[in-house]
Amino acid sequence: MHKRDLLRSFGLALAAASGLPATEVLAQSGAAPQTLRVGVRGGVDEEIWEVVLPVARRNGLNVKPIVITGSASPNEALNNGDLEANSFQHIPFLRDQIRQRGYRLADVGHTYISPIAFYSKKYKRWADLPANAKLGIPNDPSNQTRALVILRDQGVLTLRDGFDPFTGTATLADITGYQKKVQLIEAASVVLARSLDDVDASAIVNTFAYQAGLIATRDGLAVEKKENNPYVNIIAVREQDQAAPWVRPLVASYQSEEVRRFILSKYQGSVVPAF
């Protein structure tokens, strides 16, 4: 499909999602917005942005969350001007997208963290884990990094000098030593969530942990730190819009006390405000 046709198809999809005529959606992409279209994924982000809307109205903004489903990319839509902002990703994901696709996008505000944690059906505390414990860790780069950082912070292992989760990922090859004897077992996150009986503990991402009735701050034996965490979710805009007058009020609307209270009450620690 020609790029122009692809963009038009995406505009039609946005029109269907927003209830606006396709011509209006496409026309707005190059003009100063009367409505701020924010791309989100369904679920947590969609729910939170419904709480943001009345706060944004008090701040003089008309915000329209656009739920983007399937393989359509909220970053592609934002980069092309079909959205004014998006809110669905953490910093390393945006960084990788920029590197791979050349997007000119910027992080303008933190939203929340969906903490990854180690869970166990056999033990209640991290200190109870036996010597040579079998520990499941995700096999995808970003979540494996998060699990290894937890293990580093728990004094289980050390990672190579110069490793920085803000600028790169870590794998088993980056482990430089062990302070405690453990067996690390790599598997897909969905497998880890379904096989807790087969290991002593596993690092499970929030999506699958929540589906299994597990909450990091309640059930986790070891939880990633909130402070200085690159895996905080963000609001992103185009680089050219960073200084636009609507950006700060938009971020402030999200980082409001109403939104904070909603996150704490609704998700009970499976999603944690990062503001």
Side-chain angles (χ1 to χ4, degrees), residues 3 16 114 156 179:
K3 182 177 181 181
S114 296
V156 174
Q179 281 72 54

Side-chain angles (χ1 to χ4, degrees), residues 16 54 62 70 100 114:
N62 183 24
Q100 293 173 17
S114 296

Side-chain angles (χ1 to χ4, degrees), residues 24 95 120 123 133 143 156 164 180 188 202 207 219 230 244 252 267:
E24 184 176 346
R95 179 192 64 215
S120 176
Y123 304 98
N143 289 313
V156 174
D164 182 354
K180 297 180 180 178
S202 278
T207 300
D219 305 308
Y267 304 109

Side-chain angles (χ1 to χ4, degrees), residues 118-123 128-136 183 185 195-202 221:
F118 278 86
Y119 300 92
S120 176
K121 287 189 175 181
K122 301 176 181 178
Y123 304 98
D128 295 335
L129 291 175
N132 212 31
K134 295 180 180 179
L135 304 179
Q183 299 179 50
I185 302 169
S195 58
L196 268 179
D197 289 326
D198 301 325
V199 295
D200 294 301
S202 278
L221 273 63

